[in-house]
Amino acid sequence: MAHRSGRHFLQIPGPTNVPDRVLRAMDRPTIDHRGPEFQALGRDVLAGIRPVFGTAQPVIIYPSSGTGAWEAAIVNTLSPGDRVLMFETGHFATLWRNLASKFGIECEFVPGDWRHGVDPATVEARLAEDRGHAIKAVMVVHNETSTGVTSRIPLIRKAIDRANHPALFLVDTISSLGSIDYRHDEWGVDVTVAGSQKGLMLPPGLGFNAVSQKALAAAKANRLPRSYWDWEDMLKANATGFFPYTPATNLLYGLKEAVAMLMEEGLANVFARHDRHAEATRRAVNAWGLEVLAADPAEFSSSLTAVVVPDGHDADRLRSVILERFDMSLGTGLGRLAGKVFRIGHLGDFNDLTLMGTLAGVEMGLRLTGIPHRAGGVAAAMEYLEFGNS
Ligand code: PLP
């Protein structure tokens, strides 16, 4: 392929653009992962990552993608035949359900329309019916990356408490951590699953489990075989800053830098920045006369926006024209949304002008592909970025 000048716009909802500071932090010789220099790095990252999850409890770091961290959450806490309550919020919730099923977990999968998040009232009603406490875990995807819908974790926690049910609460924050407000301890989550390649601004390759004391107790009791994912081995080695097998050393250098960047900006500011860019994006979509897939404003995602393309038009053709003409990648429609939506990632290392470039690319693409829309989306977003709600 011929060289293309300027930076590629990687505006899929993860992996996200890796900032230069993180790239430079990783550009180092790999060191002995059993030596004292590594030990200091290990201690730094294992402690430094906790505030990003809003936890004072252990966070386990695997050399894995997010799917590995999904699997780790299951094999450490659940046993074959255990019942769990899950919700069909979209493609990723479906994949997590499929993964759990492969381990013999019995998943009650509450059907959904891929436009809404988890309904706290349904959680409460379902758990209240389960008087024998057969349901061992409630498993929720915080931010459905396939739809741009964010489920309300604090309300779901309250629903579990109102039902007075002892189920574990497992939450996937793969496309929300470091982008959308999240508090593992305060919201009473037992296992938080995350990955490196989205809000944490790293390349793919790290998976995370933040674990509560209740989850650790469940892990001790549970019979499901595991080795690579075993929390116990990890925590034993982590206590001295080490890992039970070769860690992704250079990604850990990157993680240290990424956490420093999030802390310098301040997590509250990071979340507000994502909220603001998401709102500007939705204003652009509305001005174009197109539809945001997320149906409920209370569940709009701040890390991505899925945009519905009018019937008879192909979202993937729009994406390929934009890639070819403007060197920008947008997210494809996944599963049943294939061809029907495109997804704009506005998370990670991102600012006002990154958003304006992104939206300009989309508006030009809409024109070039003849997708019916009104002009003025870019102008509407600009107006919001300049003047806010005024
Ligand atoms: N869960 C969510 C919400 C995701 O967005 C993704 C990937 O995009 C995954 C799970 C799977 O993670 P990975 O592709 O890193 O294995």
Side-chain angles (χ1 to χ4, degrees), residues 100-357:
S101 303
K102 287 179 188 159
F103 284 98
I105 309 297
E106 266 187 53
C107 304
E108 181 177 334
F109 200 43
V110 177
D113 66 358
W114 293 41
R115 300 191 78 156
H116 290 85
V118 175
D119 174 18
T122 307
V123 175
E124 184 176 347
R126 195 51 210 92
L127 292 181
E129 279 166 22
D130 178 37
R131 289 198 188 82
H133 296 165
I135 294 171
K136 298 300 175 205
V138 176
M139 296 167 62
V140 170
V141 174
H142 181 207
N143 187 67
E144 226 332 320
T145 323
S146 60
T147 62
V149 172
T150 306
S151 287
R152 289 161 293 175
I153 301 301
L155 299 191
I156 299 168
R157 174 74 256 171
K158 286 200 181 94
I160 300 171
D161 292 344
R162 267 198 304 271
N164 202 13
H165 198 288
L168 291 166
F169 191 20
L170 276 47
V171 179
D172 168 344
T173 64
I174 289 175
S175 62
S176 56
L177 191 86
S179 303
I180 299 172
D181 191 10
Y182 187 78
R183 307 169 193 202
H184 175 89
D185 287 355
E186 189 181 323
W187 295 349
V189 178
D190 293 301
V191 188
T192 297
V193 174
S196 54
Q197 72 272 27
K198 304 194 193 234
L200 292 179
M201 306 176 288
L202 293 165
L206 295 179
F208 302 85
N209 278 179
V211 295
S212 72
Q213 291 308 313
K214 186 172 161 188
L216 288 172
K220 278 212 174 356
N222 127 42
R223 295 173 277 119
L224 205 57
R226 71 258 187 197
S227 170
Y228 186 79
W229 305 115
D230 198 344
W231 290 344
E232 201 174 339
D233 293 347
M234 267 287 190
L235 291 173
K236 209 187 298 166
N238 286 175
T240 51
F242 292 111
F243 286 73
Y245 41 74
T246 313
T249 306
N250 290 58
L251 284 172
L252 297 180
Y253 280 130
L255 179 61
K256 186 175 165 188
E257 192 66 20
V259 169
M261 291 167 72
L262 291 172
M263 292 304 150
E264 281 168 32
E265 186 174 351
L267 283 179
N269 297 327
V270 171
F271 302 146
R273 167 166 60 81
H274 283 79
D275 292 344
R276 182 166 167 273
H277 289 145
E279 175 62 28
T281 303
R282 290 189 295 269
R283 290 193 183 210
V285 175
N286 291 336
W288 288 323
L290 298 178
E291 199 182 353
V292 170
L293 181 68
D296 181 351
E299 297 177 328
F300 283 157
S301 168
S302 287
S303 60
L304 78 132
T305 301
V307 184
V308 182
V309 161
D311 277 347
H313 294 271
D314 180 2
D316 283 336
R317 180 160 174 270
L318 171 73
R319 288 176 51 255
S320 69
V321 167
I322 290 172
L323 177 61
E324 209 171 286
R325 288 289 299 265
F326 308 118
D327 200 19
M328 174 163 74
S329 297
L330 295 168
T332 188
L334 293 167
R336 67 155 88 148
L337 297 171
K340 295 186 168 60
V341 305
F342 65 94
R343 294 170 301 142
I344 303 172
H346 32 73
L347 73 164
D349 186 38
F350 196 81
N351 64 21
D352 286 8
L353 293 188
T354 333
L355 179 65
M356 294 320 302

